[in-house]
Amino acid sequence: MQATVTHAATVAADTAERHDWTTDEAEALLGQPFTDLLFAAQTAHRARFDPNRIQLSTLLSIKTGGCPEDCGYCSQSAHHDTQLGRERLLSLDAVLAAARSARAAGATRFCMGAAWRNPTDKNLDSVLAMVEGVKDLGLETCVTLGMLTAAQARRLADAGLDFYNHNLDTSPEFYGQVISSRTYQDRLETLEHVRAAGLKTCSGGILGMGEGRRDRASMLCQLANLPAHPESVPINLLVQVEGTPLFGSELLDPFELVRTIAAARVMMPGAYVRLSAGRDDMSDELQALCFLAGANSVFYGERLLTTANAGSERDLALFARLGLAFETADLPDRDAPGACHRHPPSAPTAAG
Ligand code: SAM
Ligand code: DTB
Ligand code: SF4
């Protein structure tokens, strides 16, 4: 057993879950001296998690492009001229082949994204078959399909879906500057349906869209003040896609990313905080700081949805250099090397 667990008792009192955060409080947290903030985040992290272990999720875009929504960051919106084609929903076979590859590479969760405002009930039939098939491979499942009705959320839960991803993206105050085709309230309502159906919630946001620190504080409050903290909180750094309105946005100070991850860890101590989009452009050192700040999950694989991700070779080398193990799926049919449930089959040695 790791030292983290024994340390837990001494700091548990500091890391009780709260749902009454104010934006002023969150902004003060974000603005703490950097080392104080990181110490608070490490303390919270070690009370609940093994700090030397991360979770790996692999993404697949099952329906790309042509989305009717106008999200200012997104390559897939039909409102933007991004050179991205509109594709049909992938076949079940294609999805399962991608899921098998993700599993072989060491991922424990397979996340499927669709460029829909919301799924039709017919769309959902196809996605349910994908969820069932991926689950049968021994992987956790996550889908992100846009807005859901309560009944659709229940159907997904009945099919055995583990997580539903639906990001708040930014603060309620800044939201209208990024998206006009739906409201913040729409997002909150889908999250309510997801929770009511008994699905685990994956919800976070995007940094570097021109928002201020107070917006980041406000977004974290929205997430932390939900009736239950999301089990998974993806923190994306904007991937600037040519042709989108946010292309050319001023680059975020990387320390603001680290601060936001640290504050997310303090405010939602039991959540997996995922260092999500944007890693391809990050240095190893910046990523290491994010892990120190409490990030304990990443998207793993060559691609995100439509853009490049940090590749698995680079990731495995980085994890080995940092002594980070990662969670492995509980797979009875898995080859022996993965059976240690600690390290991937082909992780290079730390000295490499
Ligand atoms: N259409 C569904 C929706 O918006 O809910 C699901 C797919 S959408 C691509 C999922 C999430 O990806 C968005 O909510 C946003 O947070 C993130 N995302 C999309 N484009 C991004 C970009 N260029 N950079 C960073 N994150 C991005
Ligand atoms: C999330 O928070 N980030 C992922 C996932 N949830 C669906 C998507 C990132 C997309 C990055 C841009 C792209 O590849 O299109
Ligand atoms: Fe459509 Fe989702 Fe992209 Fe918005 S983020 S344009 S809803 S795919």
Side-chain angles (χ1 to χ4, degrees), residues 25-332:
E25 260 183 306
E27 194 178 13
L29 183 66
L30 280 166
Q32 278 189 349
F34 190 74
T35 59
D36 288 347
L37 176 56
L38 257 68
F39 182 72
Q42 262 290 305
T43 305
H45 194 181
R46 284 169 182 266
R48 304 282 193 113
F49 291 100
D50 177 344
N52 298 310
R53 196 173 172 109
I54 59 174
Q55 186 276 330
L56 306 182
S57 292
T58 292
L59 269 175
L60 177 69
S61 181
I62 57 169
K63 159 70 185 82
T64 304
C67 183
E69 301 270 18
D70 68 355
C71 311
Y73 47 79
C74 187
S75 63
Q76 306 199 66
S77 166
H79 298 262
H80 318 322
D81 186 11
T82 60
Q83 315 294 323
L84 198 75
R86 179 201 187 101
E87 293 172 19
R88 291 161 58 95
L89 185 63
L90 292 185
S91 69
L92 178 60
D93 283 353
V95 170
L96 295 184
R100 276 189 212 96
S101 302
R103 185 181 76 159
T108 59
R109 191 176 310 155
F110 193 67
C111 309
M112 295 166 271
W116 290 323
R117 173 174 165 82
N118 55 266
T120 63
D121 288 339
K122 188 160 168 283
N123 292 151
L124 209 62
D125 290 339
S126 309
V127 173
L128 296 181
M130 294 172 186
V131 168
E132 284 162 2
V134 172
K135 221 179 152 56
D136 284 347
L137 295 174
L139 289 164
E140 287 184 314
T141 51
C142 177
V143 297
T144 180
L145 314 171
M147 293 185 269
L148 294 183
T149 64
Q152 289 178 323
R154 280 195 299 269
R155 287 187 70 201
L156 285 163
D158 289 346
L161 179 72
D162 295 298
F163 290 82
Y164 194 79
N165 168 249
H166 201 64
N167 291 339
L168 291 179
D169 281 341
T170 188
S171 66
E173 298 79 17
F174 192 68
Y175 198 78
Q177 297 202 33
V178 180
I179 299 156
S180 73
S181 54
R182 57 167 188 253
T183 64
Y184 214 76
Q185 191 55 33
D186 290 331
R187 295 306 264 187
L188 291 171
E189 278 168 21
T190 292
L191 288 180
E192 177 55 39
H193 298 325
V194 166
R195 191 169 45 248
L199 292 164
K200 291 183 198 156
T201 301
C202 173
S203 188
I206 309 178
L207 313 187
M209 300 195 295
E211 80 288 344
R213 183 182 276 174
R214 192 162 178 85
D215 291 304
R216 292 187 282 278
S218 172
M219 177 185 81
L220 291 177
C221 287
Q222 288 288 328
L223 293 166
N225 293 346
L226 289 169
H229 292 169
E231 283 81 0
S232 165
V233 178
I235 302 293
N236 297 276
L237 184 62
L238 175 69
V239 178
Q240 297 204 10
V241 178
E242 212 166 338
T244 59
L246 291 183
F247 182 72
S249 296
E250 192 179 330
L251 294 183
L252 185 73
D253 172 0
F255 292 128
E256 283 298 312
L257 167 69
V258 182
R259 285 177 178 278
T260 305
I261 286 175
R265 168 54 65 222
V266 170
M267 292 170 70
M268 292 168 279
Y272 277 82
V273 176
R274 181 174 311 119
L275 178 58
S276 301
R279 286 197 308 117
D280 193 33
D281 292 326
M282 291 177 204
S283 68
D284 289 351
E285 295 84 346
L286 175 57
Q287 292 188 61
L289 268 181
C290 292
F291 298 136
L292 189 66
N296 59 350
S297 171
V298 294
F299 284 125
Y300 174 69
E302 308 310 307
R303 298 206 50 87
L304 294 165
L305 290 175
T306 67
T307 65
N309 191 21
S312 48
E313 217 173 290
R314 177 181 167 202
D315 278 348
L316 293 179
L318 177 61
F319 302 156
R321 287 165 71 206
L322 299 178
L324 278 179
F326 49 86
E327 298 178 1
T328 57
D330 192 12
L331 303 172

